[in-house]
Amino acid sequence: MNAPSSGPLHSALAEAADAALEDTVVGSISRVGFLVRRRLYGWDGPADGALRGKVALVTGASSGLGLAAARGLAELGARVVLLGRDPGRTDEARSLVEEETGNPDLHVVVADLARLADVRRVADDIAETCSRLDVVVHNAGTLTHRYERTVDGLEVTAQTHVVAPFLLTGRLLGLLEASRGRVITVTSGGMYTTGLALDALAAPESDGFDGVKAYARAKRAQVVLNEQWAKRFGWTGVTFQAMHPGWADTAGVRSSLPGFHRVMRPILRTPAQGVDTTLWLASVDPPPARDGQLWLDRHRRRTVHLPGTAVSAIDATRLWDWCVSASGIDPERSLEGLGPDRTRPTTSPS
Ligand SMILES: NC(=O)c1ccc[n+]([C@@H]2O[C@H](COP(=O)([O-])OP(=O)(O)OC[C@H]3O[C@@H](n4cnc5c(N)ncnc54)[C@H](OP(=O)(O)O)[C@@H]3O)[C@@H](O)[C@H]2O)c1
């Protein structure tokens, strides 16, 4: 007897097959995982024009997954703000997206996330010029094998992936709240290899610096912070989700992990497959009921696979406090200026 292709039995079988696929790790994260799950669940694309009238900001939009996300958001009808650090390449990306989607409502903002002054400036520009902000995709990121400190005195991986996005969200929180916006952070399966290791994140040793470990720590921190944002600011109506794109064939992977890229190339996802879950999280209506979650292929995933990598509530709070001090913004106070009732209604989260 064939299993029915919809209904509770099919859903249960699909969930079981998906869970088995997740346990294979490589199968799950590769292109195979994407193709199998698309078939298992019979995904529909987001509805045409699902984001018409909405405004979306994508960081790292000049290449790879950020460019694919900008293209997908533009196809759905959003006004898209492309944030890049190189004006020429980011404007090329804007032209390409316009040509491919026919959506002319695309805008470039230039900021190097390794400079917090840049982040403050663009956040203020966006807050001044945009009447709403419905989606933020924190995508910009890099894996570097060289120890490098930013002008703000932080290790560059930690600043680009953790502190700068924290500052950007904090600075844009009022606008996001007014639009019941969605904040989506692009993390990585690399984070499964580590716990939080805040001391190493905040002040890594320059001698024997291991870029892969620094990247994994930053990606773990993104997932923990995503949970913290949801706990602390879910009451505003803004939702916070982290997603893992799987392994996708991008310039970033080619340049930072050439050996990995050579071997895995046949099973890497396309950038469009890598951003499918981002676009789904940005547009699905209603948004997922619970926020602060980690997603891969439109399904919630565990945040811990290995013993010793779970993060305690105390460490999560320490991470938040470190971001407040490193970024110079306390989001818990940033809404206060917007009116007498704009403070968090309950006491601190656990
Ligand atoms: N591809 C994968 O398999 C994979 C897997 C898991 C997670 N991810 C995550 O996906 C995100 C995108 O990666 P990708 O693979 O698309 O890499 P990519 O092709 O190298 O794109 C990275 C983007 O981030 C930008 N960027 C890097 N540092 C920046 C800074 N300091 N300020 C502003 N923009 C900066 C880059 O700008 P430039 O063009 O100027 O360099 C580029 O636009 C990253 O967060 C990465 O960790 C990727």
Side-chain angles (χ1 to χ4, degrees):
M1 190 180 82
N2 288 333
S5 60
S6 62
L9 176 58
H10 179 266
S11 297
L13 288 172
E15 298 280 347
D18 186 348
L21 183 59
E22 191 176 357
D23 287 341
T24 68
V25 183
V26 172
S28 174
I29 296 175
S30 70
R31 176 188 296 218
V32 176
F34 176 84
L35 295 174
V36 169
R37 291 184 179 115
R38 185 171 66 183
R39 179 130 196 193
L40 274 177
Y41 294 112
W43 294 333
D44 291 327
D48 272 357
L51 293 179
R52 201 158 292 134
K54 311 268 186 189
V55 179
L57 167 68
V58 183
T59 71
S62 55
S63 88
L65 297 174
L67 174 57
R71 182 186 289 120
L73 293 162
E75 261 165 7
L76 294 174
R79 164 179 295 187
V80 184
V81 181
L82 296 92
L83 184 153
R85 62 181 160 181
D86 182 284
R89 265 181 299 120
T90 314
D91 198 53
E92 269 173 38
R94 188 203 57 74
S95 302
L96 185 68
V97 172
E98 179 171 353
E99 197 181 300
E100 289 176 348
T101 65
N103 181 344
D105 202 359
L106 307 171
H107 308 269
V108 166
V109 292
V110 178
D112 183 345
L113 300 191
R115 292 177 167 271
L116 295 180
D118 277 17
V119 179
R120 289 187 194 102
R121 175 182 47 74
V122 289
D124 290 351
D125 281 358
I126 291 167
E128 247 173 54
T129 54
C130 294
S131 55
R132 57 184 304 134
L133 184 58
D134 302 279
V135 178
V136 173
V137 183
H138 288 302
N139 162 83
T142 187
L143 191 167
T144 172
H145 298 286
R146 206 162 42 90
Y147 178 85
E148 197 186 323
R149 259 182 200 279
T150 68
V151 291
D152 303 290
L154 299 167
E155 190 281 317
V156 72
T157 320
Q159 176 156 337
T160 309
H161 293 261
V162 183
V163 178
F166 180 89
L167 175 59
L168 192 57
T169 298
R171 227 47 195 196
L172 292 171
L173 206 50
L175 192 56
L176 282 162
E177 184 192 16
S179 320
R180 297 184 74 77
R182 305 180 188 196
V183 177
I184 301 164
T185 299
V186 181
T187 184
S188 160
M191 68 98 193
Y192 282 118
T193 61
T194 183
L196 186 54
L198 178 58
D199 294 341
L201 181 81
E205 294 287 337
S206 52
D207 285 348
F209 174 74
D210 182 333
V212 173
K213 280 194 184 152
Y215 177 82
R217 286 195 292 261
K219 292 313 216 184
R220 167 65 73 185
Q222 288 184 324
V223 171
V224 175
L225 274 181
N226 176 60
E227 293 168 349
Q228 287 291 304
W229 279 107
K231 276 189 190 157
R232 292 169 189 257
F233 289 98
W235 62 270
T236 60
V238 179
T239 59
F240 300 89
Q241 308 288 2
M243 64 75 64
H244 170 23
W247 290 327
D249 194 347
T250 63
V253 172
R254 278 194 295 280
S255 64
S256 57
L257 299 170
F260 170 85
H261 180 260
R262 215 169 19 253
V263 175
M264 302 307 263
R265 189 175 186 176
I267 59 165
L268 295 181
R269 297 175 179 212
T270 64
Q273 291 168 345
V275 300
D276 173 81
T277 297
T278 298
L279 299 178
W280 178 78
L281 286 168
S283 60
V284 66
D285 187 25
R290 288 178 57 193
D291 72 342
Q293 306 294 307
L294 171 66
W295 300 82
L296 167 73
D297 291 339
R298 303 191 187 190
H299 277 65
R300 278 170 43 209
R301 307 290 167 184
R302 280 176 286 161
T303 57
V304 173
H305 279 287
L306 299 176
T309 56
V311 177
S312 68
I314 291 174
D315 281 349
T317 301
R318 282 182 64 221
L319 173 65
W320 182 272
D321 292 344
W322 176 68
C323 287
V324 168
S325 110
S327 66
I329 188 172
D330 183 349
E332 314 244 62
R333 300 178 61 184
S334 68
L335 294 179
E336 284 171 12
L338 301 176
D341 58 345
R342 301 319 315 125
T343 46
R344 188 174 188 281
T346 54
T347 52
S348 285
S350 55

